Amino acid sequence: MELDTTEQRQRSVGFLIKEAFAFQETMDTEDKDEDNDWCGASVVLDDLAAVEEMMNAEIIFRDTLAKISSPRLDHLAEKEDYASAFEDGFDNFISDILLSRLYHAADILNDWGFRTERGQNFQENFSDKLAELIAVYENFDELLTEAEDTFEIDTPDARLKVVMT
Amino acid sequence: MKLETVEQRHKFIDDMVKKAFAFEESLIHDPEHGDDWAGAMSTVENLVTIEEFIRTEQIFLDTFGAMEEIRTHDDSGKEIALNIVNDSLLEFIDTILLRRVEFAHDRLDDWDFVTEGGVKFKKSFCRKLNTLIKTYQDIYDL
């Protein structure tokens, strides 16, 4: 799955949430081992729901940065300074809030003693998926720079697009 | 408790997390009242997320402050840039932070606690969450 855009990442988390619910449905909570694995999924689900909301905040940050960097504002003095101050804030949000919650989700998942075979498959599968998301956010700087590069393609069409939005 | 500054609100939620967590822990060895424990646990989860959103609010405000400090002769230009950030902050508070506080409140309010401690916990924490909701509505004029 491609994870380059926030929307793709959000979709990936949405799938994980659905998968975790589906997994829980297959577990019989009257059985001690299956109940234990059900709880493991439950803890991860709380984190995933929070991460999903954080991605909504990420979209707000991203759109704000795009507005501040927009060619429409080229006439503002110190425009680059505003954009760079905002980018620093965006970076802080990603590393202190979103990424730290993803680390938390991965730690809790990896530490959980899953007892059934399906539980262990769930753990392995989710651990891989979380690692992929974490890798994207650890390299968030690069992602931002790429996004900026695309944004700064200053053709009449690109300008028009900005003006239209 | 005063809640005008983001630091005060952060401290407020931090205290709530600690108290709710202590309450949850006190029920953990009480299998007869598993529902009260689950109610406390779900509240702790919500509070932890609210705490992270208040830290996000802090990041927004710090960023706003850093942009305000930038020296320029173009005051109207600065105002345009600051307005963009301010609008985004409002959107974040309205659609993400406040919504989560309301969700936490409603969920707790709907929970049936059976132990005396649980009933007290629900009453006290619903009130605190309400205070927080009102504070955000007032401060950001929502």
Side-chain angles (χ1 to χ4, degrees), chain B residues 13-36:
Chain B
I13 194 79
D14 217 31
D15 286 345
M16 286 177 80
V17 171
K18 281 185 197 133
K19 280 191 194 131
F21 189 68
F23 176 63
E24 184 204 321
E25 294 272 284
S26 76
L27 289 171
I28 218 160
H29 298 298
D30 184 3
E32 271 189 33
H33 300 115
D35 276 355
D36 276 24

Side-chain angles (χ1 to χ4, degrees), chain B residues 2 18 47 56 68 93 101 114 119 130:
Chain B
K2 290 199 183 284
K18 281 185 197 133
L47 293 174
T56 306
E68 241 177 350
I93 299 291
V101 183
V114 288
V119 174
N130 243 329

Side-chain angles (χ1 to χ4, degrees), chain A residues 1-164:
Chain A
M1 190 179 237
E2 296 272 334
L3 297 173
D4 297 337
T5 70
T6 318
E7 284 76 5
Q8 287 166 342
R9 295 191 286 277
Q10 208 168 27
R11 217 170 303 140
S12 156
V13 171
F15 279 135
L16 286 178
I17 291 175
K18 272 189 209 140
E19 255 183 75
F21 274 126
F23 167 75
Q24 281 188 322
E25 295 221 334
T26 70
M27 294 279 118
D28 174 9
T29 48
E30 300 294 315
D31 176 281
K32 249 191 157 183
D33 288 347
E34 297 203 7
D35 186 54
N36 167 75
D37 291 7
W38 185 94
C39 288
S42 203
V43 182
V44 178
L45 264 169
D46 282 329
D47 281 331
L48 291 174
V51 167
E52 210 265 340
E53 277 173 82
M54 286 171 186
M55 287 175 168
N56 283 330
E58 181 192 338
I59 290 176
I60 294 180
F61 272 102
R62 181 201 64 191
D63 291 351
T64 308
L65 183 61
K67 273 185 204 152
I68 299 176
S69 322
S70 142
R72 213 166 22 147
L73 297 185
D74 276 353
H75 61 283
L76 301 193
E78 279 74 52
K79 178 191 154 179
E80 294 304 318
D81 296 340
Y82 301 132
S84 120
F86 192 81
E87 206 177 302
D88 289 345
F90 192 4
D91 262 346
N92 288 343
F93 166 73
I94 294 295
S95 54
D96 296 352
I97 311 283
L98 202 153
L99 193 52
S100 93
R101 187 66 170 222
L102 278 171
Y103 284 139
H104 181 257
D107 285 349
I108 255 195
L109 178 75
N110 293 331
D111 288 348
W112 198 272
F114 283 90
R115 294 179 195 156
T116 68
E117 203 188 321
R118 266 176 299 146
Q120 281 156 8
N121 287 340
F122 169 84
Q123 183 177 34
E124 204 178 306
N125 173 25
F126 268 56
S127 187
D128 288 350
K129 299 248 172 72
L130 284 172
E132 282 172 25
L133 276 169
I134 287 172
V136 172
Y137 283 107
E138 281 177 339
N139 295 305
F140 198 70
D141 283 0
E142 283 170 37
L143 217 64
L144 262 183
T145 324
E146 276 170 37
E148 244 169 63
D149 289 346
T150 357
F151 204 83
E152 277 172 6
I153 299 173
D154 198 8
T155 63
D157 272 357
R159 267 175 185 272
L160 187 66
K161 227 173 148 185
V162 172
V163 177
M164 300 293 282

Side-chain angles (χ1 to χ4, degrees), chain B residues 68-123:
Chain B
E68 241 177 350
E69 299 268 298
I70 291 168
R71 292 165 68 91
T72 183
H73 296 294
D74 180 9
D75 286 339
S76 66
K78 181 186 273 187
E79 208 183 313
I80 291 172
L82 289 178
N83 275 340
I84 293 174
V85 177
N86 195 45
D87 286 350
S88 300
L89 172 59
L90 280 179
E91 188 187 345
F92 167 73
I93 299 291
D94 192 22
T95 65
I96 299 182
L97 192 152
L98 191 54
R99 197 190 282 180
R100 187 67 168 206
V101 183
E102 286 166 347
F103 174 80
H105 171 273
D106 294 350
R107 207 182 148 93
L108 181 62
D109 201 32
D110 286 345
W111 204 278
D112 281 324
F113 286 90
V114 288
T115 65
E116 202 187 321
V119 174
K120 270 192 193 155
F121 169 77
K122 171 172 163 172
K123 203 174 160 198

